[in-house]
Structures are given as structure tokens and as C-alpha cells.
Amino acid sequence: MGFGYLFLGYLVSFFLYMTVQALGIGSLALLVGYAMMFYGLYLLRHYHAAFASAKWMLVPLLAMGLYRVAEDIVTLFLVSLPFVNDTVKAAVDWISFMLLIVFQLAMLYGIRMLADSIELKKISGAAVRNSIFVGVYAVLYLCGSLPLGETIKPYLTLSVTLLNLVFVVCNLALLVSCMKNICREGEEQIEPKRSRFAWVNRMSDTYEKSRKSLNDQMRSEGEALRQRRMEKKKKKK
């Protein structure tokens, strides 16, 4: 459907990017990740029109990614490019931040609308929850950019970093859930295909194991609560 490409692109753009950035080639990871997400959203657009906004948000983000490539070239090869300077960098940073926030919210909106259309309330609720995380992150990030007292900024910086990690991990988990629970019409009973990437299968298996464990625990606690209520009723009688 497209969730696989969206998951891989999101993973590359917002998680693996931090690793390859240390090697000075983070911009290439961004371009690859954005391109994969664009293709994934292009496919998903055929199943719900709500994904169109997120898809087109990636076009300006790809342009920002090309500027990052120019930055990496300047850093790696010690060359000078007239449009790579502190003023343009600051502008690109702010534009990229705003575009990424809007993209995250648009992607989650598309997931929520698709999930609502097929009555998957848990996925819809998770998309709303993640949207709140993204919104709070954006507000704290903007507050941290204001000329606040030095005693407040360290706490804001820590909160922003933690929220960034939280919503990225939650969005990855949500996309895994979408891959497992949303399929084309007529494929509802088909066993989900295993990925060609072993680490994707491991992540998927870990998520499924945790989900089953949590469901078993909830059922056990529910049964225990029901038993206690029945015993209390018998004592009252």
C-alpha cells in the first residue's frame, strides 16, 4: 500500500540520519528518506486523499535537502559557495523546522483519516496522540528559541530533545502498526509478508511480542477484577 516505503523513509530521515550525520553525509540520508516517503505517500494517496498534503510537503523539504548537500560539500571539501553562509543557513533551518512540523502533522492526519474510514480506532487514537506530541515539541522548541533566562533554557533543551525522540519512536511504532493492520481490500486474511531487511523483521517481531504481552496482561487483569467483583457480590448476598 505504501506504508512500507513510508516507514523506511521515515526511519532514514529521522533516525538513521543522526548516525550518518556524524560522517558528514547526513544530507544524502535526508534526500533518500524524503524520496522514499514521497513514493510511499504517492501510493497511499490512492487509498485516501488525506495523504496528498503530506506528499506535497516533501517537495520543499527535498529542496531544503539539496541545500544541506551543498553545506556538506563545503564542510567536507573546504570549498566556498556564495549561497552557503550563516544568514542563509539560519533561514533554511527555520524553514526546514516549520516544514517538518507541518509534514508530521499532515502525515498523522492522513493516517487518522484512513484509520477512521476502516474503523481502526486504536490506530486513529495513536495518530491523534502523536500529533499532540509533535505540537508540544514545536511549542517548546519555539519557546527555547526566545531570549529566556539562562536557568530555563537547559530544561527546555532537555524537554525538546526527549520529545523529539518520543514522537519519532511513536511514529515509527505507529507505521509498523499500519503495515500490520491496514491492507488492500481482499487481503485481510493473508499473512503479512516478511521484509527483505532482517532488522525490520526484528523490529516488527519485537513490537508484535510486546503488543501480545500487553493484551494478555490486560485480559488477565480484567479477569482478576471481574472475579473480585463477583466475590464481593457474593459476600453482600
Side-chain angles (χ1 to χ4, degrees):
M1 284 186 66
F3 280 116
Y5 288 103
L6 184 57
F7 169 80
L8 290 174
Y10 195 93
L11 183 70
V12 171
S13 299
F14 300 103
F15 199 79
L16 296 183
Y17 162 78
M18 295 181 287
T19 301
V20 296
Q21 177 65 9
L23 302 175
I25 55 173
S27 58
L28 296 180
L30 288 180
L31 291 179
V32 172
Y34 292 163
M36 294 179 72
M37 287 192 293
F38 185 90
Y39 185 63
L41 290 166
Y42 166 78
L43 295 176
L44 288 167
R45 172 64 180 79
H46 293 86
Y47 300 97
H48 205 292
F51 286 104
S53 298
K55 182 187 73 171
W56 292 118
M57 286 304 303
L58 285 167
V59 175
L61 279 171
L62 280 165
M64 297 299 103
L66 290 173
Y67 183 83
R68 301 297 186 191
V69 172
E71 283 186 328
D72 288 345
I73 290 173
V74 169
T75 302
L76 287 173
F77 300 103
L78 301 177
V79 298
S80 177
L81 295 175
F83 54 87
V84 178
N85 54 62
D86 292 340
T87 302
V88 178
K89 284 181 182 179
V92 169
D93 286 342
W94 276 108
I95 294 171
S96 296
F97 168 75
M98 298 304 297
L99 288 173
L100 284 171
I101 294 300
V102 176
F103 166 75
Q104 302 275 356
L105 295 175
M107 180 190 72
L108 291 169
Y109 174 75
I111 292 174
R112 179 169 69 86
M113 295 301 292
L114 178 59
D116 283 341
S117 69
I118 53 179
E119 298 183 353
L120 289 176
K121 300 302 180 184
K122 288 185 177 180
I123 290 180
S124 176
V128 173
R129 177 203 62 200
N130 292 5
S131 297
I132 294 173
F133 287 157
V134 173
V136 174
Y137 163 80
V139 171
L140 291 179
Y141 184 92
L142 292 173
C143 289
S145 302
L146 299 174
L148 301 173
E150 293 301 322
T151 56
I152 301 177
K153 278 202 170 185
Y155 297 103
L156 282 175
T157 301
L158 177 61
S159 300
V160 166
T161 302
L162 289 176
L163 268 174
N164 189 10
L165 180 62
V166 166
F167 83 69
V168 167
V169 171
C170 287
N171 282 345
L172 286 171
L174 175 60
L175 292 173
V176 170
S177 181
C178 290
M179 287 190 292
K180 283 180 168 293
N181 296 290
I182 301 178
C183 60
R184 297 183 183 90
E185 187 177 359
E187 295 183 353
E188 294 85 353
Q189 303 303 322
I190 297 177
E191 187 72 19
K193 293 181 180 179
R194 302 290 286 177
S195 171
R196 69 182 67 180
F197 302 104
W199 54 269
V200 173
N201 291 328
R202 287 196 296 269
M203 178 179 288
S204 177
D205 292 341
T206 300
Y207 172 80
E208 183 65 20
K209 184 178 179 181
S210 300
R211 186 183 67 82
K212 288 182 178 179
S213 177
L214 181 61
N215 288 342
D216 291 342
Q217 182 180 353
M218 291 177 66
R219 281 195 294 268
S220 178
E221 291 177 352
E223 180 64 23
L225 179 61
R226 189 180 69 82
Q227 290 291 343
R228 288 196 295 270
R229 286 178 177 175
M230 291 180 62
E231 290 176 1
K232 287 183 180 179
K233 288 182 180 179
K234 288 181 181 180
K235 289 180 180 180
K236 288 181 180 179
K237 292 180 180 179

PDB file of all heavy atoms in Angstrom, residues 17 26-35 58-74 81 83-84 88-89 92 96 99:
ATOM      1  N   TYR A  17      19.489   9.209  10.123  1.00  0.00           N
ATOM      2  CA  TYR A  17      20.127  10.463   9.739  1.00  0.00           C
ATOM      3  C   TYR A  17      21.127  10.930  10.784  1.00  0.00           C
ATOM      4  O   TYR A  17      22.216  11.404  10.461  1.00  0.00           O
ATOM      5  CB  TYR A  17      19.057  11.532   9.525  1.00  0.00           C
ATOM      6  CG  TYR A  17      19.581  12.951   9.543  1.00  0.00           C
ATOM      7  CD1 TYR A  17      20.247  13.481   8.440  1.00  0.00           C
ATOM      8  CD2 TYR A  17      19.417  13.761  10.661  1.00  0.00           C
ATOM      9  CE1 TYR A  17      20.733  14.777   8.452  1.00  0.00           C
ATOM     10  CE2 TYR A  17      19.895  15.057  10.685  1.00  0.00           C
ATOM     11  CZ  TYR A  17      20.555  15.557   9.578  1.00  0.00           C
ATOM     12  OH  TYR A  17      21.038  16.839   9.612  1.00  0.00           O
ATOM     13  N   GLY A  26      24.998  13.375   6.146  1.00  0.00           N
ATOM     14  CA  GLY A  26      23.605  13.341   6.585  1.00  0.00           C
ATOM     15  C   GLY A  26      22.634  13.837   5.536  1.00  0.00           C
ATOM     16  O   GLY A  26      21.495  13.374   5.466  1.00  0.00           O
ATOM     17  N   SER A  27      23.076  14.771   4.697  1.00  0.00           N
ATOM     18  CA  SER A  27      22.195  15.324   3.671  1.00  0.00           C
ATOM     19  C   SER A  27      21.749  14.249   2.676  1.00  0.00           C
ATOM     20  O   SER A  27      20.607  14.280   2.199  1.00  0.00           O
ATOM     21  CB  SER A  27      22.908  16.451   2.925  1.00  0.00           C
ATOM     22  OG  SER A  27      24.121  15.988   2.339  1.00  0.00           O
ATOM     23  N   LEU A  28      22.613  13.307   2.373  1.00  0.00           N
ATOM     24  CA  LEU A  28      22.247  12.223   1.454  1.00  0.00           C
ATOM     25  C   LEU A  28      21.168  11.338   2.066  1.00  0.00           C
ATOM     26  O   LEU A  28      20.258  10.880   1.365  1.00  0.00           O
ATOM     27  CB  LEU A  28      23.480  11.393   1.093  1.00  0.00           C
ATOM     28  CG  LEU A  28      24.583  12.119   0.323  1.00  0.00           C
ATOM     29  CD1 LEU A  28      25.738  11.179   0.033  1.00  0.00           C
ATOM     30  CD2 LEU A  28      24.028  12.689  -0.995  1.00  0.00           C
ATOM     31  N   ALA A  29      21.273  11.107   3.378  1.00  0.00           N
ATOM     32  CA  ALA A  29      20.251  10.318   4.070  1.00  0.00           C
ATOM     33  C   ALA A  29      18.906  11.031   3.996  1.00  0.00           C
ATOM     34  O   ALA A  29      17.857  10.397   3.803  1.00  0.00           O
ATOM     35  CB  ALA A  29      20.660  10.082   5.518  1.00  0.00           C
ATOM     36  N   LEU A  30      18.930  12.358   4.152  1.00  0.00           N
ATOM     37  CA  LEU A  30      17.685  13.123   4.061  1.00  0.00           C
ATOM     38  C   LEU A  30      17.054  12.978   2.680  1.00  0.00           C
ATOM     39  O   LEU A  30      15.843  12.750   2.563  1.00  0.00           O
ATOM     40  CB  LEU A  30      17.951  14.604   4.361  1.00  0.00           C
ATOM     41  CG  LEU A  30      18.246  14.979   5.811  1.00  0.00           C
ATOM     42  CD1 LEU A  30      18.490  16.475   5.924  1.00  0.00           C
ATOM     43  CD2 LEU A  30      17.101  14.558   6.730  1.00  0.00           C
ATOM     44  N   LEU A  31      17.856  13.122   1.633  1.00  0.00           N
ATOM     45  CA  LEU A  31      17.319  13.021   0.279  1.00  0.00           C
ATOM     46  C   LEU A  31      16.729  11.642   0.017  1.00  0.00           C
ATOM     47  O   LEU A  31      15.640  11.520  -0.556  1.00  0.00           O
ATOM     48  CB  LEU A  31      18.414  13.331  -0.744  1.00  0.00           C
ATOM     49  CG  LEU A  31      18.895  14.783  -0.807  1.00  0.00           C
ATOM     50  CD1 LEU A  31      19.998  14.925  -1.855  1.00  0.00           C
ATOM     51  CD2 LEU A  31      17.752  15.727  -1.123  1.00  0.00           C
ATOM     52  N   VAL A  32      17.445  10.593   0.432  1.00  0.00           N
ATOM     53  CA  VAL A  32      16.952   9.226   0.237  1.00  0.00           C
ATOM     54  C   VAL A  32      15.666   9.017   1.030  1.00  0.00           C
ATOM     55  O   VAL A  32      14.675   8.472   0.519  1.00  0.00           O
ATOM     56  CB  VAL A  32      18.017   8.194   0.652  1.00  0.00           C
ATOM     57  CG1 VAL A  32      17.438   6.780   0.648  1.00  0.00           C
ATOM     58  CG2 VAL A  32      19.222   8.265  -0.285  1.00  0.00           C
ATOM     59  N   GLY A  33      15.671   9.456   2.287  1.00  0.00           N
ATOM     60  CA  GLY A  33      14.497   9.285   3.140  1.00  0.00           C
ATOM     61  C   GLY A  33      13.287  10.034   2.617  1.00  0.00           C
ATOM     62  O   GLY A  33      12.178   9.483   2.550  1.00  0.00           O
ATOM     63  N   TYR A  34      13.482  11.285   2.221  1.00  0.00           N
ATOM     64  CA  TYR A  34      12.367  12.075   1.687  1.00  0.00           C
ATOM     65  C   TYR A  34      11.818  11.453   0.417  1.00  0.00           C
ATOM     66  O   TYR A  34      10.596  11.427   0.201  1.00  0.00           O
ATOM     67  CB  TYR A  34      12.822  13.511   1.395  1.00  0.00           C
ATOM     68  CG  TYR A  34      13.150  14.334   2.616  1.00  0.00           C
ATOM     69  CD1 TYR A  34      13.902  15.501   2.508  1.00  0.00           C
ATOM     70  CD2 TYR A  34      12.714  13.962   3.893  1.00  0.00           C
ATOM     71  CE1 TYR A  34      14.206  16.275   3.631  1.00  0.00           C
ATOM     72  CE2 TYR A  34      13.018  14.720   5.014  1.00  0.00           C
ATOM     73  CZ  TYR A  34      13.771  15.880   4.872  1.00  0.00           C
ATOM     74  OH  TYR A  34      14.076  16.639   5.969  1.00  0.00           O
ATOM     75  N   ALA A  35      12.703  10.960  -0.459  1.00  0.00           N
ATOM     76  CA  ALA A  35      12.256  10.347  -1.719  1.00  0.00           C
ATOM     77  C   ALA A  35      11.432   9.085  -1.449  1.00  0.00           C
ATOM     78  O   ALA A  35      10.394   8.854  -2.093  1.00  0.00           O
ATOM     79  CB  ALA A  35      13.462  10.017  -2.595  1.00  0.00           C
ATOM     80  N   LEU A  58       6.696  17.297   1.017  1.00  0.00           N
ATOM     81  CA  LEU A  58       8.045  16.758   0.830  1.00  0.00           C
ATOM     82  C   LEU A  58       8.790  17.424  -0.320  1.00  0.00           C
ATOM     83  O   LEU A  58      10.021  17.327  -0.389  1.00  0.00           O
ATOM     84  CB  LEU A  58       7.977  15.246   0.598  1.00  0.00           C
ATOM     85  CG  LEU A  58       7.682  14.415   1.851  1.00  0.00           C
ATOM     86  CD1 LEU A  58       7.331  12.986   1.473  1.00  0.00           C
ATOM     87  CD2 LEU A  58       8.871  14.430   2.800  1.00  0.00           C
ATOM     88  N   VAL A  59       8.078  18.095  -1.210  1.00  0.00           N
ATOM     89  CA  VAL A  59       8.755  18.760  -2.335  1.00  0.00           C
ATOM     90  C   VAL A  59       9.663  19.890  -1.844  1.00  0.00           C
ATOM     91  O   VAL A  59      10.858  19.915  -2.166  1.00  0.00           O
ATOM     92  CB  VAL A  59       7.734  19.268  -3.369  1.00  0.00           C
ATOM     93  CG1 VAL A  59       8.437  20.069  -4.461  1.00  0.00           C
ATOM     94  CG2 VAL A  59       6.967  18.092  -3.981  1.00  0.00           C
ATOM     95  N   PRO A  60       9.150  20.849  -1.022  1.00  0.00           N
ATOM     96  CA  PRO A  60      10.068  21.862  -0.486  1.00  0.00           C
ATOM     97  C   PRO A  60      11.110  21.280   0.459  1.00  0.00           C
ATOM     98  O   PRO A  60      12.232  21.794   0.554  1.00  0.00           O
ATOM     99  CB  PRO A  60       9.143  22.848   0.237  1.00  0.00           C
ATOM    100  CG  PRO A  60       7.884  22.098   0.490  1.00  0.00           C
ATOM    101  CD  PRO A  60       7.752  21.141  -0.633  1.00  0.00           C
ATOM    102  N   LEU A  61      10.768  20.193   1.147  1.00  0.00           N
ATOM    103  CA  LEU A  61      11.753  19.556   2.027  1.00  0.00           C
ATOM    104  C   LEU A  61      12.910  18.963   1.219  1.00  0.00           C
ATOM    105  O   LEU A  61      14.060  18.984   1.661  1.00  0.00           O
ATOM    106  CB  LEU A  61      11.086  18.472   2.878  1.00  0.00           C
ATOM    107  CG  LEU A  61      10.346  18.972   4.120  1.00  0.00           C
ATOM    108  CD1 LEU A  61       9.534  17.845   4.766  1.00  0.00           C
ATOM    109  CD2 LEU A  61      11.319  19.564   5.132  1.00  0.00           C
ATOM    110  N   LEU A  62      12.606  18.427   0.047  1.00  0.00           N
ATOM    111  CA  LEU A  62      13.673  17.934  -0.832  1.00  0.00           C
ATOM    112  C   LEU A  62      14.582  19.083  -1.270  1.00  0.00           C
ATOM    113  O   LEU A  62      15.808  18.924  -1.374  1.00  0.00           O
ATOM    114  CB  LEU A  62      13.067  17.245  -2.053  1.00  0.00           C
ATOM    115  CG  LEU A  62      12.578  15.809  -1.833  1.00  0.00           C
ATOM    116  CD1 LEU A  62      11.688  15.362  -2.982  1.00  0.00           C
ATOM    117  CD2 LEU A  62      13.752  14.851  -1.679  1.00  0.00           C
ATOM    118  N   ALA A  63      13.990  20.254  -1.498  1.00  0.00           N
ATOM    119  CA  ALA A  63      14.798  21.432  -1.858  1.00  0.00           C
ATOM    120  C   ALA A  63      15.708  21.822  -0.699  1.00  0.00           C
ATOM    121  O   ALA A  63      16.887  22.155  -0.900  1.00  0.00           O
ATOM    122  CB  ALA A  63      13.885  22.597  -2.237  1.00  0.00           C
ATOM    123  N   MET A  64      15.168  21.759   0.522  1.00  0.00           N
ATOM    124  CA  MET A  64      15.997  22.044   1.696  1.00  0.00           C
ATOM    125  C   MET A  64      17.117  21.003   1.827  1.00  0.00           C
ATOM    126  O   MET A  64      18.235  21.315   2.240  1.00  0.00           O
ATOM    127  CB  MET A  64      15.142  22.020   2.971  1.00  0.00           C
ATOM    128  CG  MET A  64      14.054  23.088   3.036  1.00  0.00           C
ATOM    129  SD  MET A  64      14.667  24.786   2.994  1.00  0.00           S
ATOM    130  CE  MET A  64      14.279  25.226   1.285  1.00  0.00           C
ATOM    131  N   GLY A  65      16.792  19.743   1.448  1.00  0.00           N
ATOM    132  CA  GLY A  65      17.799  18.692   1.490  1.00  0.00           C
ATOM    133  C   GLY A  65      18.935  18.948   0.519  1.00  0.00           C
ATOM    134  O   GLY A  65      20.105  18.662   0.815  1.00  0.00           O
ATOM    135  N   LEU A  66      18.614  19.506  -0.632  1.00  0.00           N
ATOM    136  CA  LEU A  66      19.660  19.836  -1.611  1.00  0.00           C
ATOM    137  C   LEU A  66      20.588  20.919  -1.059  1.00  0.00           C
ATOM    138  O   LEU A  66      21.801  20.893  -1.308  1.00  0.00           O
ATOM    139  CB  LEU A  66      19.026  20.295  -2.924  1.00  0.00           C
ATOM    140  CG  LEU A  66      18.315  19.202  -3.736  1.00  0.00           C
ATOM    141  CD1 LEU A  66      17.591  19.818  -4.926  1.00  0.00           C
ATOM    142  CD2 LEU A  66      19.319  18.150  -4.200  1.00  0.00           C
ATOM    143  N   TYR A  67      20.018  21.854  -0.319  1.00  0.00           N
ATOM    144  CA  TYR A  67      20.880  22.882   0.297  1.00  0.00           C
ATOM    145  C   TYR A  67      21.800  22.236   1.334  1.00  0.00           C
ATOM    146  O   TYR A  67      22.964  22.615   1.476  1.00  0.00           O
ATOM    147  CB  TYR A  67      20.041  23.979   0.943  1.00  0.00           C
ATOM    148  CG  TYR A  67      20.885  25.084   1.531  1.00  0.00           C
ATOM    149  CD1 TYR A  67      21.366  26.119   0.721  1.00  0.00           C
ATOM    150  CD2 TYR A  67      21.235  25.086   2.880  1.00  0.00           C
ATOM    151  CE1 TYR A  67      22.169  27.128   1.247  1.00  0.00           C
ATOM    152  CE2 TYR A  67      22.035  26.086   3.414  1.00  0.00           C
ATOM    153  CZ  TYR A  67      22.493  27.104   2.585  1.00  0.00           C
ATOM    154  OH  TYR A  67      23.305  28.099   3.110  1.00  0.00           O
ATOM    155  N   ARG A  68      21.277  21.234   2.068  1.00  0.00           N
ATOM    156  CA  ARG A  68      22.115  20.526   3.047  1.00  0.00           C
ATOM    157  C   ARG A  68      23.277  19.815   2.354  1.00  0.00           C
ATOM    158  O   ARG A  68      24.374  19.707   2.905  1.00  0.00           O
ATOM    159  CB  ARG A  68      21.281  19.501   3.828  1.00  0.00           C
ATOM    160  CG  ARG A  68      20.103  20.070   4.601  1.00  0.00           C
ATOM    161  CD  ARG A  68      20.530  21.020   5.676  1.00  0.00           C
ATOM    162  NE  ARG A  68      19.401  21.449   6.493  1.00  0.00           N
ATOM    163  CZ  ARG A  68      19.458  22.439   7.372  1.00  0.00           C
ATOM    164  NH1 ARG A  68      20.585  23.117   7.530  1.00  0.00           N
ATOM    165  NH2 ARG A  68      18.383  22.770   8.059  1.00  0.00           N
ATOM    166  N   VAL A  69      23.012  19.312   1.149  1.00  0.00           N
ATOM    167  CA  VAL A  69      24.091  18.690   0.373  1.00  0.00           C
ATOM    168  C   VAL A  69      25.192  19.708   0.104  1.00  0.00           C
ATOM    169  O   VAL A  69      26.393  19.415   0.237  1.00  0.00           O
ATOM    170  CB  VAL A  69      23.553  18.113  -0.949  1.00  0.00           C
ATOM    171  CG1 VAL A  69      24.706  17.654  -1.837  1.00  0.00           C
ATOM    172  CG2 VAL A  69      22.608  16.944  -0.687  1.00  0.00           C
ATOM    173  N   ALA A  70      24.796  20.918  -0.287  1.00  0.00           N
ATOM    174  CA  ALA A  70      25.781  21.976  -0.540  1.00  0.00           C
ATOM    175  C   ALA A  70      26.573  22.301   0.736  1.00  0.00           C
ATOM    176  O   ALA A  70      27.797  22.505   0.679  1.00  0.00           O
ATOM    177  CB  ALA A  70      25.077  23.228  -1.053  1.00  0.00           C
ATOM    178  N   GLU A  71      25.900  22.310   1.872  1.00  0.00           N
ATOM    179  CA  GLU A  71      26.583  22.549   3.149  1.00  0.00           C
ATOM    180  C   GLU A  71      27.625  21.475   3.415  1.00  0.00           C
ATOM    181  O   GLU A  71      28.755  21.775   3.837  1.00  0.00           O
ATOM    182  CB  GLU A  71      25.568  22.580   4.295  1.00  0.00           C
ATOM    183  CG  GLU A  71      24.766  23.848   4.405  1.00  0.00           C
ATOM    184  CD  GLU A  71      23.895  23.869   5.638  1.00  0.00           C
ATOM    185  OE1 GLU A  71      23.439  22.793   6.065  1.00  0.00           O
ATOM    186  OE2 GLU A  71      23.663  24.956   6.195  1.00  0.00           O
ATOM    187  N   ASP A  72      27.247  20.214   3.192  1.00  0.00           N
ATOM    188  CA  ASP A  72      28.185  19.111   3.435  1.00  0.00           C
ATOM    189  C   ASP A  72      29.374  19.178   2.475  1.00  0.00           C
ATOM    190  O   ASP A  72      30.507  18.851   2.852  1.00  0.00           O
ATOM    191  CB  ASP A  72      27.465  17.765   3.282  1.00  0.00           C
ATOM    192  CG  ASP A  72      26.509  17.492   4.439  1.00  0.00           C
ATOM    193  OD1 ASP A  72      26.625  18.189   5.468  1.00  0.00           O
ATOM    194  OD2 ASP A  72      25.663  16.588   4.310  1.00  0.00           O
ATOM    195  N   ILE A  73      29.124  19.590   1.237  1.00  0.00           N
ATOM    196  CA  ILE A  73      30.226  19.727   0.274  1.00  0.00           C
ATOM    197  C   ILE A  73      31.219  20.783   0.745  1.00  0.00           C
ATOM    198  O   ILE A  73      32.441  20.594   0.688  1.00  0.00           O
ATOM    199  CB  ILE A  73      29.670  20.083  -1.121  1.00  0.00           C
ATOM    200  CG1 ILE A  73      28.925  18.880  -1.712  1.00  0.00           C
ATOM    201  CG2 ILE A  73      30.801  20.515  -2.055  1.00  0.00           C
ATOM    202  CD1 ILE A  73      28.212  19.189  -3.005  1.00  0.00           C
ATOM    203  N   VAL A  74      30.690  21.917   1.229  1.00  0.00           N
ATOM    204  CA  VAL A  74      31.558  22.983   1.742  1.00  0.00           C
ATOM    205  C   VAL A  74      32.383  22.487   2.917  1.00  0.00           C
ATOM    206  O   VAL A  74      33.591  22.764   3.021  1.00  0.00           O
ATOM    207  CB  VAL A  74      30.712  24.205   2.152  1.00  0.00           C
ATOM    208  CG1 VAL A  74      31.554  25.216   2.931  1.00  0.00           C
ATOM    209  CG2 VAL A  74      30.118  24.871   0.920  1.00  0.00           C
ATOM    210  N   LEU A  81      31.078  28.323  -1.485  1.00  0.00           N
ATOM    211  CA  LEU A  81      29.919  28.537  -2.341  1.00  0.00           C
ATOM    212  C   LEU A  81      29.230  29.820  -1.876  1.00  0.00           C
ATOM    213  O   LEU A  81      28.991  29.995  -0.676  1.00  0.00           O
ATOM    214  CB  LEU A  81      28.952  27.350  -2.254  1.00  0.00           C
ATOM    215  CG  LEU A  81      29.487  26.006  -2.776  1.00  0.00           C
ATOM    216  CD1 LEU A  81      28.480  24.894  -2.530  1.00  0.00           C
ATOM    217  CD2 LEU A  81      29.804  26.102  -4.270  1.00  0.00           C
ATOM    218  N   PHE A  83      26.224  30.966  -1.877  1.00  0.00           N
ATOM    219  CA  PHE A  83      24.925  30.914  -1.213  1.00  0.00           C
ATOM    220  C   PHE A  83      24.955  30.128   0.102  1.00  0.00           C
ATOM    221  O   PHE A  83      23.925  29.986   0.759  1.00  0.00           O
ATOM    222  CB  PHE A  83      23.867  30.305  -2.151  1.00  0.00           C
ATOM    223  CG  PHE A  83      24.254  28.957  -2.697  1.00  0.00           C
ATOM    224  CD1 PHE A  83      23.977  27.789  -2.001  1.00  0.00           C
ATOM    225  CD2 PHE A  83      24.930  28.858  -3.916  1.00  0.00           C
ATOM    226  CE1 PHE A  83      24.336  26.563  -2.503  1.00  0.00           C
ATOM    227  CE2 PHE A  83      25.279  27.621  -4.427  1.00  0.00           C
ATOM    228  CZ  PHE A  83      24.995  26.465  -3.721  1.00  0.00           C
ATOM    229  N   VAL A  84      26.117  29.590   0.460  1.00  0.00           N
ATOM    230  CA  VAL A  84      26.242  28.886   1.737  1.00  0.00           C
ATOM    231  C   VAL A  84      26.910  29.827   2.727  1.00  0.00           C
ATOM    232  O   VAL A  84      28.127  29.990   2.733  1.00  0.00           O
ATOM    233  CB  VAL A  84      27.066  27.583   1.584  1.00  0.00           C
ATOM    234  CG1 VAL A  84      27.221  26.905   2.941  1.00  0.00           C
ATOM    235  CG2 VAL A  84      26.398  26.649   0.592  1.00  0.00           C
ATOM    236  N   VAL A  88      21.888  32.498   5.241  1.00  0.00           N
ATOM    237  CA  VAL A  88      21.059  31.534   4.510  1.00  0.00           C
ATOM    238  C   VAL A  88      20.851  30.269   5.344  1.00  0.00           C
ATOM    239  O   VAL A  88      19.756  29.708   5.367  1.00  0.00           O
ATOM    240  CB  VAL A  88      21.703  31.193   3.150  1.00  0.00           C
ATOM    241  CG1 VAL A  88      20.859  30.158   2.414  1.00  0.00           C
ATOM    242  CG2 VAL A  88      21.870  32.443   2.306  1.00  0.00           C
ATOM    243  N   LYS A  89      21.897  29.849   6.049  1.00  0.00           N
ATOM    244  CA  LYS A  89      21.769  28.664   6.900  1.00  0.00           C
ATOM    245  C   LYS A  89      20.684  28.852   7.946  1.00  0.00           C
ATOM    246  O   LYS A  89      19.866  27.956   8.194  1.00  0.00           O
ATOM    247  CB  LYS A  89      23.105  28.367   7.592  1.00  0.00           C
ATOM    248  CG  LYS A  89      24.156  27.735   6.710  1.00  0.00           C
ATOM    249  CD  LYS A  89      25.416  27.475   7.509  1.00  0.00           C
ATOM    250  CE  LYS A  89      26.516  26.873   6.641  1.00  0.00           C
ATOM    251  NZ  LYS A  89      27.755  26.632   7.433  1.00  0.00           N
ATOM    252  N   VAL A  92      17.298  28.654   6.264  1.00  0.00           N
ATOM    253  CA  VAL A  92      16.980  27.271   5.889  1.00  0.00           C
ATOM    254  C   VAL A  92      16.611  26.446   7.117  1.00  0.00           C
ATOM    255  O   VAL A  92      15.692  25.612   7.078  1.00  0.00           O
ATOM    256  CB  VAL A  92      18.170  26.634   5.140  1.00  0.00           C
ATOM    257  CG1 VAL A  92      17.969  25.122   4.983  1.00  0.00           C
ATOM    258  CG2 VAL A  92      18.343  27.272   3.769  1.00  0.00           C
ATOM    259  N   SER A  96      13.040  24.740   7.332  1.00  0.00           N
ATOM    260  CA  SER A  96      13.007  23.273   7.461  1.00  0.00           C
ATOM    261  C   SER A  96      12.228  22.855   8.700  1.00  0.00           C
ATOM    262  O   SER A  96      11.446  21.894   8.646  1.00  0.00           O
ATOM    263  CB  SER A  96      14.434  22.722   7.531  1.00  0.00           C
ATOM    264  OG  SER A  96      15.140  22.979   6.340  1.00  0.00           O
ATOM    265  N   LEU A  99       8.494  23.343   7.985  1.00  0.00           N
ATOM    266  CA  LEU A  99       8.031  22.350   7.017  1.00  0.00           C
ATOM    267  C   LEU A  99       7.923  20.961   7.642  1.00  0.00           C
ATOM    268  O   LEU A  99       6.964  20.219   7.373  1.00  0.00           O
ATOM    269  CB  LEU A  99       8.983  22.309   5.822  1.00  0.00           C
ATOM    270  CG  LEU A  99       8.948  23.509   4.864  1.00  0.00           C
ATOM    271  CD1 LEU A  99      10.075  23.385   3.835  1.00  0.00           C
ATOM    272  CD2 LEU A  99       7.603  23.624   4.163  1.00  0.00           C
TER     273      LEU A  99
END
